[in-house]
Amino acid sequence: MAVSKRIVLHFPKRMVDRPIVCRLVKDYDLEFNILKASITPEKEGLMILELSGEQGEYDKGIRYLTKSGVEIQSLSQDVLRNEERCTHCGACITICPTGAFELDPITRWVNFHDEKCLACGLCIKACPPRAMEVHF
Amino acid sequence: MAKTIAEINEKIKQGKAVVVTAEEIIGIAKEKGIKKAAQEVDVVTTGTFGPMCSSGAYLNIGHSKPRIKLGGGRAYLNDVPAYTGLAAADIFIGSNALPDDDPRNKIHPGEFNYGGGHVIEELVAGKDIRLVATAYGTDCYPRKRLETWINIKDLNEVVLFNIRNAYQNYNVAANTSDRTIYTYMGVLRADLGNINFCSAGQLSPLLNDPYYKTIGIGTKIFLGGGIGFVAWHGTQHNPNVPRTENGVPTRGAGALCVIGDLKQMSPKWLVGTSMLGYGCTITVGIGVPIPILSEEILRYTTVTDAEIFSAIVDYSDAYPNLKPDILGEVSYAQLKSGKVTLQGREVPTASLSSYPRAVEIANTLKEWILSGKLLLTEPVAPLPGVESGITFKPLNERPIEE
Ligand code: SF4
Ligand code: SF4
């Protein structure tokens, strides 16, 4: 059976330069599509992949990633903004690796574009009034 | 054209006063000129909404039966310790206080999810708060333990008393080290990854009255969504810093100590705040009306973000080690553009203080004055100005020999 899933990979600092993802192709015959990649303030790698292949190989690929020290998170969680708590300060703007927050230059309201959000979770604790919430 | 506060109040009562915000006055003065604008406008309103750490509240909880003497004992509000060095039924909760069992920075950066600022927010929101207190017991105050829910509406006095708020200008924060640092100025990424600032700039109260010509002790203000007063100058009030030609300080300078009845305030304007890796605090809304008594006072209120400068300070070295070095000076107009060029690089900027909410405060204050809800007050005494000679002293450490 073929599967195709979207997952978030967190690479620890020491692994950022290693060609981990390429081995998924060579060893497990999986196909991947990088939807987004960036480096967090902690210098950890962050990558959103669409990964597809045969279920058995897919599972082995995931096991390989986990064993190598990559943390895997499925994209099923949702990050939402509690509009009542958000003060529109703007502290999140330089935190978000994908630019999901955008400042309106005239009103200075902070707009949250949730379609750009990859649920990396960085803004959750960096938002001073804790207006960003993870929902599962 | 000199006006008096009494004359302006008379106009407010007759519904004839002209009140504009510190943002609106910029365009008005440009269009009409300083002279005409000063004749026509009676009051300029300001506002600021940002984390202000030196904030707290005192509560008189009323006497229990039998009586307990909290003074000299211990008291906790929702597990957050309150100060008990006062009389039997008075306690003080500071915005930075943390539960004894909060892990703090044991796993760095600590999260600091709940502290004194959050207690104040919940108190003002009318939520029940858990008070747990212990005392040593005396003949007149025999009780040794108290555990009860309390609610703001049942308490005697609940007073917000912030000993340093509304800083006149503030450091702009950056990080030149090779690791992310977690500060009261927010998360600062390594290698000048971002720059954070915290001021309402052209709307900020003391930046519109740089020499404290109208704002003084006794000035009635917008505080936490209700009415409060300037009680004193803020701690670390430092009028003697470099200033631009228009009198605007280019460093943190003056500050206000403010007071007001918490019972008439709102959680919208007193928000419990968590600074990752640093601690808990509270975001406070403050707005001060400036009576336009002269052309000079009006001219000060026309200051724009492009004319207000501050120093970029390295929070990985200069700040913690109390070194005077700065990385450069920058205007709020540049900061608000979203990026600043520093050491030949474009660095993205972010704010910790909310400009849209500062605008809302200035507009609310304007409505209050127009509707006669708030009349202006004559200061009882001025804040110390440049002539006071006050400076901001570092601690003179004198080692204690055993
Ligand atoms: S940091 Fe939090 S409160 Fe500030 S604008 Fe972003 S989501 Fe809103
Ligand atoms: S979780 Fe927050 S920081 Fe991460 S992508 Fe979404 S909005 Fe940006």
Side-chain angles (χ1 to χ4, degrees):
Chain A
M1 194 184 70
V3 286
S4 176
K5 287 185 187 166
R6 285 181 168 206
I7 51 172
V8 187
L9 309 184
H10 294 263
F11 293 86
K13 215 171 178 171
R14 65 190 155 84
M15 290 180 60
V16 168
D17 309 325
R18 285 169 40 194
I20 305 258
V21 175
C22 297
R23 289 209 35 203
L24 294 175
V25 183
K26 277 211 299 232
D27 297 358
Y28 306 102
D29 201 22
L30 300 177
E31 273 181 40
F32 69 90
N33 193 3
I34 299 181
L35 302 174
K36 189 91 201 177
S38 66
I39 307 268
T40 73
E42 260 60 56
K43 303 238 161 91
E44 282 176 358
L46 187 76
M47 194 183 271
I48 310 282
L49 281 186
E50 188 160 350
L51 196 60
S52 34
E54 279 303 312
Q55 180 79 59
E57 293 299 301
Y58 178 92
D59 292 344
K60 278 190 215 158
I62 294 288
R63 234 173 289 141
Y64 158 70
L65 286 175
T66 319
K67 266 225 281 280
S68 324
V70 178
E71 204 185 298
I72 302 175
Q73 178 198 340
S74 80
L75 249 189
S76 60
Q77 63 190 34
D78 223 0
V79 170
L80 300 175
R81 184 164 75 177
N82 178 336
E83 296 298 336
E84 269 195 9
R85 269 204 92 70
C86 172
T87 64
H88 293 267
C89 62
C92 49
I93 292 174
T94 51
I95 298 293
C96 175
T98 72
F101 298 98
E102 172 222 25
L103 190 66
D104 182 313
I106 308 292
T107 63
R108 307 201 67 79
W109 290 99
V110 177
N111 300 315
F112 173 48
H113 299 284
D114 61 355
E115 72 281 1
K116 286 197 189 169
C117 171
L118 298 180
C120 72
L122 281 175
C123 59
I124 309 285
K125 287 174 186 136
C127 163
R130 297 287 157 81
M132 300 305 296
E133 299 171 352
V134 193
H135 294 254
F136 295 94
Chain B
M1 76 118 238
K3 288 179 226 175
T4 64
I5 288 179
E7 282 164 7
I8 296 175
N9 277 340
E10 207 40 56
K11 282 173 98 175
I12 295 173
K13 284 182 206 155
Q14 291 167 8
K16 287 184 188 153
V18 178
V19 185
V20 302
T21 69
E23 196 181 57
E24 292 163 342
I25 193 67
I26 297 168
I28 294 171
K30 207 178 261 170
E31 187 197 315
K32 302 194 168 178
I34 296 282
K35 196 173 169 149
K36 193 133 183 282
Q39 275 163 3
E40 289 180 15
V41 175
D42 299 306
V43 186
V44 170
T45 59
T46 61
T48 184
F49 188 59
M52 303 192 194
C53 283
S54 264
S55 302
Y58 62 82
L59 295 63
N60 179 285
I61 61 159
H63 289 273
S64 60
K65 192 176 167 182
R67 291 180 193 265
I68 184 168
K69 176 181 183 286
L70 300 183
R74 292 195 191 281
Y76 293 87
L77 296 169
N78 288 351
D79 296 330
V80 180
Y83 180 70
T84 53
L86 301 159
D90 292 326
I91 52 177
F92 184 91
I93 177 88
S95 71
N96 280 226
L98 294 171
D100 291 344
D101 60 358
D102 186 286
R104 295 171 163 79
N105 265 339
K106 257 181 212 147
I107 298 171
H108 190 258
E111 296 184 9
F112 302 102
N113 292 315
Y114 195 89
H118 301 86
V119 173
I120 295 172
E121 181 189 331
E122 293 203 285
L123 198 59
V124 72
K127 293 194 185 151
D128 280 345
I129 306 283
R130 208 175 57 251
L131 167 68
V132 175
T134 50
Y136 50 84
T138 72
D139 290 340
C140 45
Y141 289 87
R143 195 151 166 189
K144 292 191 176 160
R145 192 169 173 86
L146 178 67
E147 273 186 47
T148 177
W149 292 104
I150 58 170
N151 191 290
I152 191 168
K153 65 179 193 306
D154 305 322
L155 303 179
N156 293 313
E157 291 76 19
V158 187
V159 180
L160 189 74
F161 187 23
N162 302 349
I163 65 171
R164 180 172 71 253
N165 277 180
Y167 234 124
Q168 183 179 27
N169 214 342
Y170 208 77
N171 287 347
V172 175
N175 170 18
T176 62
S177 77
D178 60 2
R179 63 175 185 103
T180 298
I181 60 172
Y182 299 86
T183 73
Y184 71 89
M185 288 297 287
V187 180
L188 299 171
R189 302 164 76 159
D191 305 321
L192 292 179
N194 62 333
I195 283 178
N196 282 357
F197 64 101
C198 190
S199 170
Q202 62 192 19
L203 257 186
S204 186
L206 290 175
L207 288 173
N208 280 281
D209 184 9
Y211 290 113
Y212 331 115
K213 298 222 174 207
T214 69
I215 304 175
I217 295 168
T219 299
K220 201 185 266 186
I221 60 171
F222 173 109
L223 177 60
I227 288 175
F229 296 86
V230 174
W232 203 249
H233 57 275
T235 54
Q236 299 179 191
H237 179 80
N238 181 13
N240 286 297
V241 297
R243 292 172 184 260
T244 57
E245 249 168 58
N246 53 10
V248 177
T250 56
R251 300 288 185 275
L256 300 177
C257 169
V258 297
I259 194 162
D261 180 3
L262 196 72
K263 292 190 181 188
Q264 39 100 54
M265 296 184 193
S266 128
K268 178 174 177 188
W269 300 109
L270 291 170
V271 180
T273 299
S274 306
M275 300 309 295
L276 187 61
Y278 179 75
C280 286
T281 180
I282 189 165
T283 298
V284 181
I286 292 185
V288 181
I290 297 176
I292 301 305
L293 304 176
S294 67
E295 283 175 28
E296 182 194 1
I297 287 167
L298 179 109
R299 189 173 305 111
Y300 292 133
T301 66
T302 61
V303 73
T304 62
D305 284 332
E307 298 159 320
I308 308 171
F309 290 83
S310 190
I312 307 176
V313 174
D314 183 359
Y315 273 66
S316 69
D317 179 29
Y319 187 84
N321 297 315
L322 203 72
K323 295 180 186 166
D325 327 3
I326 64 169
L327 297 171
E329 275 195 3
V330 65
S331 77
Y332 282 93
Q334 287 167 286
L335 288 167
K336 288 181 178 177
S337 75
K339 49 184 184 290
V340 162
T341 307
L342 185 63
Q343 303 184 345
R345 283 166 50 191
E346 246 184 27
V347 185
T349 59
S351 170
L352 296 176
S353 125
S354 167
Y355 193 77
R357 297 286 287 272
V359 172
E360 200 179 331
I361 290 172
N363 279 320
T364 307
L365 196 50
K366 175 170 141 181
E367 278 160 35
W368 286 359
I369 296 169
L370 289 173
S371 68
K373 174 176 168 175
L374 187 139
L375 289 176
L376 305 184
T377 43
E378 196 87 53
V380 184
L383 299 175
V386 176
E387 73 298 332
S388 69
I390 289 185
T391 52
F392 177 27
K393 295 192 283 282
L395 174 68
N396 174 20
E397 261 185 88
R398 290 178 297 132
I400 301 168
E401 313 285 348
E402 284 300 320

